[in-house]
Amino acid sequence: TSRQATPERIAKVVRSQWVIENRLHFVRDTAFHEDASKVRTGHGPENMATLRSFAINQLRAAGHTNIAAGLREMSLRPFERPLTLLGLN
């Protein structure tokens, strides 16, 4: 209702959307260049977005606060570190 839509409540709702944008979409675009992806047909875009989100969540769960730095660290030993991160090594 209009009584519930105080300026503070509206600001809180808007900020909550930006938290999602900054924590996920911005990271996916800057770290993985998602907007430049050439994957555009079928379920490819959704599947790639899921894989990117999975990678971000795994890095965050391992304590990485900078996803780009975490990806660089994983790429130093690409056949060892990602598997260790997932508990498969």
Side-chain angles (χ1 to χ4, degrees), residues 5-79:
T6 65
E8 294 82 15
R9 175 118 171 104
I10 292 171
K12 184 178 180 181
V13 169
V14 169
R15 279 192 304 273
S16 69
Q17 173 60 34
W18 280 107
V19 167
I20 295 167
E21 179 67 29
N22 289 335
R23 283 195 50 90
L24 184 61
H25 300 294
F26 179 76
V27 173
R28 283 198 330 221
D29 190 39
T30 56
F32 293 102
H33 306 287
E34 188 172 58
D35 288 347
S37 174
K38 302 294 184 201
V39 179
R40 302 201 193 289
T41 59
H43 295 288
E46 293 92 347
N47 292 339
M48 291 304 299
T50 300
L51 291 171
R52 291 178 185 118
S53 294
F54 178 75
I56 291 167
N57 290 332
Q58 291 300 310
L59 288 168
R60 284 199 175 123
H64 293 276
T65 56
N66 183 323
I67 301 304
L71 289 170
R72 285 190 298 272
E73 181 183 319
M74 293 298 119
S75 70
L76 293 174
R77 292 191 186 143
F79 299 107

